Amino acid sequence: MLLDHPDDIFAARHYEQVRRLPAEAETLPPWCYTHRDFYQRELQRLFRRSWNCVGRVERLPHPGDFVAFELAGVPTMLVRDEGGRLRAFANTCRHRGTQLLEGSGNCKPLIQCPYHGWSYRLDGKLAGAPEMAKVSAFQQGDYSLIPVRRETGLYS
Ligand code: FES
């Protein structure tokens, strides 16, 4: 079912009732929960600009433990490295962009791309890239996983 919405969903007049004091305010219009453009604006202006809680550190106690998820529309992974450090990366192979991990589990000793077999150490460094040794300009050190800023909160 498509919910009715005006063409100008971001016009301030639609939100005047929402911005009143709590005792007089009304809830957001229904399209705020269903309209694709509203969702995209929330991603851009809110979720991609602020910290997002993605879980508890106890969920990944051992080296190689990982969880993959979408964070504000971006495939992301958390993985515990060999030294016990929790790391976050874009969940994207540096070769052709294939998603590396799905769900959760343990990927020790390597994160292996299912497409052409590139592999990454748990600290994100490229460990192996079949066939790329033949490419003279290829520098393995240039193709580590892309880190995502991560912090651990007070209650870890
Ligand atoms: S896309 Fe990952 S190895 Fe090619």
Side-chain angles (χ1 to χ4, degrees):
M1 180 179 97
L2 290 174
L3 294 176
D4 238 3
H5 61 83
D7 291 336
D8 58 347
I9 64 169
F10 298 117
R13 64 187 170 84
H14 299 305
Y15 305 97
E16 290 170 359
Q17 308 295 339
V18 177
R19 293 193 166 114
R20 292 183 173 179
L21 293 172
E24 303 166 356
E26 295 180 10
T27 59
L28 288 165
W31 62 81
C32 297
Y33 303 97
T34 59
H35 199 285
R36 174 185 297 260
D37 294 347
F38 201 90
Y39 174 65
Q40 290 302 322
R41 183 167 286 198
E42 283 186 322
L43 288 178
Q44 291 172 353
R45 295 191 178 184
L46 183 64
F47 294 107
R48 289 182 182 149
R49 290 184 173 190
S50 61
W51 287 102
N52 292 274
C53 178
V54 297
R56 298 186 59 85
V57 295
E58 293 88 349
R59 187 173 179 192
L60 307 174
H62 307 295
D65 285 352
F66 75 87
V67 61
F69 49 90
E70 194 167 292
L71 182 60
V74 178
T76 308
M77 69 168 90
L78 273 176
V79 61
R80 179 82 61 188
D81 73 12
E82 293 284 359
R85 183 174 168 195
L86 201 57
R87 295 178 181 265
F89 301 108
N91 188 6
T92 306
C93 182
R94 294 298 308 276
H95 182 216
R96 295 283 185 250
T98 298
Q99 183 174 318
L100 293 165
L101 298 174
E102 289 184 23
S104 61
N106 189 289
C107 61
K108 191 176 174 183
L110 296 168
I111 299 164
Q112 180 95 40
C113 180
Y115 199 3
H116 307 104
W118 284 27
S119 58
Y120 302 87
R121 295 182 358 199
L122 302 180
D123 64 3
K125 291 189 172 62
L126 183 63
E131 305 297 322
M132 295 306 289
K134 301 173 190 167
V135 180
S136 59
F138 182 75
Q139 297 293 318
Q140 189 163 314
D142 293 342
Y143 293 91
S144 296
L145 294 178
I146 298 170
V148 173
R149 189 167 171 202
R150 179 207 60 78
E151 295 289 339
T152 302
L154 281 175
Y155 304 104
S156 62

